[in-house]
Amino acid sequence: MMSNTYIKFDLNKSDLKKTPENISSRFIKTILDQPAPVSNPDFIHEIPKIITWLIEFEDDSYFPNREIGLNEMGEPIVAMPWKSNYGYWTDSNVVLKDLASNFAVEQISKVEFAEKWNAFQHKFGKG
């Protein structure tokens, strides 16, 4: 039985990996400039407050399955997909290796991811 992979990374510019011709900056701009009002109507005002992303990847496809955005206090302020919100990473063609080559990615446990997911659901309800 396959298990999922869980990662986290900060959007802090100092954590971006250095790449030729500032590829990381263009990568971030391309992904984050997706039309948020259509894809994530409930979170349009929360997305800019995200400091850290936690992402669950399906090991059989390496595509994002679920994502959690944390604010500067480490509190979950978005969790997607949730209701009519598709997500930034889950609604894209990005795969694990794309993020790992552009951010300082750290692997986390399923338990850590689940704790943040459950904290979001406790505060905002189940999607």
Side-chain angles (χ1 to χ4, degrees), residues 2-3 12 28 30 32 36-41 49 54 57 59-60 64 69 98 115 118 120:
M2 296 187 133
S3 62
N12 217 336
I28 294 168
T30 300
L32 297 181
V38 175
S39 299
N40 305 298
K49 300 175 189 173
L54 282 62
F57 285 88
D59 275 347
D60 59 344
D98 295 332
E115 286 173 353
N118 292 338
F120 179 86

Side-chain angles (χ1 to χ4, degrees), residues 52 68-78 116 119-120 123:
T52 303
I68 304 167
L70 307 178
N71 65 12
E72 65 209 9
M73 303 296 289
E75 301 164 335
I77 56 174
V78 303
K116 295 296 185 181
F120 179 86
K123 186 173 182 179

Side-chain angles (χ1 to χ4, degrees), residues 5-18:
T5 299
Y6 300 87
I7 64 164
K8 76 176 177 180
F9 61 92
D10 289 337
L11 291 180
N12 217 336
K13 293 225 182 268
S14 63
D15 290 337
L16 287 176
K17 291 187 176 181
K18 304 299 182 201

Side-chain angles (χ1 to χ4, degrees), residues 11-75:
L11 291 180
N12 217 336
K13 293 225 182 268
S14 63
D15 290 337
L16 287 176
K17 291 187 176 181
K18 304 299 182 201
T19 56
E21 300 177 25
N22 214 4
I23 294 170
S24 294
S25 295
R26 285 186 281 152
F27 177 78
I28 294 168
K29 183 169 176 34
T30 300
I31 296 296
L32 297 181
D33 281 348
Q34 299 300 316
V38 175
S39 299
N40 305 298
D42 297 321
F43 299 129
I44 188 162
H45 299 293
E46 298 300 321
I47 302 262
K49 300 175 189 173
I50 295 171
I51 302 298
T52 303
W53 284 101
L54 282 62
I55 304 178
E56 173 189 66
F57 285 88
E58 296 177 349
D59 275 347
D60 59 344
S61 69
Y62 294 101
F63 286 104
N65 188 40
R66 296 186 295 168
E67 61 193 52
I68 304 167
L70 307 178
N71 65 12
E72 65 209 9
M73 303 296 289
E75 301 164 335

Side-chain angles (χ1 to χ4, degrees), residues 88-100:
Y88 269 120
W89 307 109
T90 56
D91 192 32
S92 71
N93 291 325
V94 70
V95 294
L96 180 56
K97 69 179 181 176
D98 295 332
L99 293 177

